Amino acid sequence: MKKIKFYLWTLWMVFATVSFVACSDDDPVTEDPNTPENPDGPDNPDIPTPVTTHFDLWVSIGSSGGMGSTSTQLVKSVSTLEEGDIDFINEGVDVSELLNQETIVKGKYYYQIRADGTRFGKYRILEDEIEIVAEFPFTTLKDRRHTHAWIDDNTLVLIGSNGDSSKILWVKVDVESMTIIGEGELNLPDPDAEAGETFNTSGIAAYRKTDGMFLYSFLYNPSTSRNHFYMAFINPSDMSTLSIVKEEWAEIMAGTAYGELLQEKSFFTSNGDYYLACNNRLPDATSSTQQSGTLLCINNGTMEFDSDFIINTDSKIVVVSNLNDSKSISLFSGPSCYRGC
């Protein structure tokens, strides 16, 4: 298979989370806006060019944000990042009481279980307030601790464990009508209760558009007994499990508790190949967060990991993102190196 070049950087500290939000008019253009018949087109200096994108900058005050932090979260929307310093003094929307930093972003909207854990909502952050577009009561999954994937522009699937993590539950939401259109339990092998096993909180979900396959990676706790994880291949129409494979090239996925609500842990190329960031505890580690990284691949149309593609690094993988079909960018928490297999 075609190998992807990987560009590795070290990520030491994150000071702000930047969300890129875009919106556009879907109405077709029926005439050339630059013709003399259209004096209000973009070439007219008296008519400003409409801004169709903006950046939402999230900053934490007092301590780092995310993963249950109680720090103050401020969000400021700007149209560009190229106009010098961005001031948060007496500016920015305080979202702390309503929203978590762990969120789902699509277009100009944020989707999440609100911070008090009682409702699922669709939100927009404006210049000086949070707009609650729609909400409905929701206590099936825990706030922040779940994964997600989009089946299409309006169908969002949420997956996470139940209260005692003895089951993995799924919920389908129509984000246009903001209603639940399906829910149930994934058919996965039960944890070994006698050994004290439970499911991980969230795992990582992905939808392969090329063949309509839903992928869900998961593992069992406690972490002391981990040396592998699992990938389930699921029919998205009824969320039935078609196949489950065991993967021993890595101990854990790079996200097990918060899915991809904070960072990207996986991506698809345009031809449907799927890449998943994973990590392994270092042999002499004094903390569970001291890890090395592994990048694995599932080729389009298959239901197994590609044994001919393994990328190992000496550092924990924090983020992995696709730039195009021949390059990717990966961020790590410490010194890194490239080793191809």
Side-chain angles (χ1 to χ4, degrees), residues 96-311:
S96 309
E97 294 299 319
L98 182 62
L99 302 183
N100 291 303
Q101 194 176 78
E102 297 89 346
T103 190
I104 302 166
V105 183
K106 190 172 182 63
K108 59 186 176 182
Y109 298 112
Y110 293 86
Y111 301 89
Q112 62 170 270
I113 303 170
R114 56 184 288 165
D116 61 11
T118 63
R119 304 178 73 83
F120 184 83
K122 179 178 183 178
Y123 310 97
R124 189 164 60 137
I125 298 176
L126 306 178
E127 183 177 349
D128 56 1
E129 65 176 344
I130 304 172
E131 177 188 8
I132 301 177
V133 180
E135 290 183 325
F136 57 82
F138 187 84
T139 56
T140 305
L141 302 177
K142 304 171 186 175
D143 69 306
R144 305 178 294 112
R145 289 148 291 184
H146 58 82
T147 187
H148 72 282
W150 293 91
I151 291 181
D152 54 45
D153 287 342
N154 290 329
T155 307
L156 174 64
V157 180
L158 308 175
I159 294 180
S161 65
N162 63 342
D164 62 2
S165 293
S166 62
K167 301 177 181 179
I168 296 294
L169 307 178
W170 62 269
V171 180
K172 284 184 183 178
V173 179
D174 183 325
V175 300
E176 184 67 24
S177 62
M178 283 299 286
T179 57
I180 293 176
I181 56 176
E183 57 186 320
E185 177 187 349
L186 288 183
N187 182 20
L188 305 174
D190 293 331
D192 186 346
E194 293 185 359
E197 281 188 349
T198 60
F199 281 111
N200 59 235
T201 307
S202 70
I204 295 179
Y207 176 67
R208 192 164 63 192
K209 295 180 181 180
T210 53
D211 63 355
M213 184 68 69
F214 200 93
L215 282 63
Y216 176 62
S217 55
F218 67 98
L219 49 79
Y220 301 99
N221 292 325
S223 60
T224 52
S225 62
R226 288 184 192 153
N227 58 14
H228 58 270
F229 68 93
Y230 298 89
M231 176 66 73
F233 297 87
I234 296 168
N235 180 352
S237 63
D238 59 4
M239 298 300 288
S240 60
T241 301
L242 303 176
S243 176
I244 298 176
V245 297
K246 182 179 180 181
E247 178 51 59
E248 297 181 297
W249 285 105
E251 296 179 20
I252 58 175
M253 310 83 68
T256 60
Y258 305 98
E260 294 181 284
L261 299 179
L262 283 171
Q263 305 103 359
E264 293 180 69
K265 309 294 186 179
S266 65
F267 65 85
F268 285 99
T269 57
S270 62
N271 68 348
D273 292 342
Y274 178 66
Y275 292 86
L276 177 65
C278 304
N279 289 308
N280 303 277
R281 288 167 299 172
L282 296 176
D284 56 350
T286 58
S287 168
S288 61
T289 61
Q290 295 175 341
Q291 300 170 357
S292 61
T294 300
L295 189 70
L296 301 175
C297 174
I298 296 176
N299 293 324
N300 180 39
T302 69
M303 291 194 291
E304 61 183 357
F305 285 92
D306 182 357
S307 60
D308 293 328
F309 183 92
I310 303 168
I311 297 294

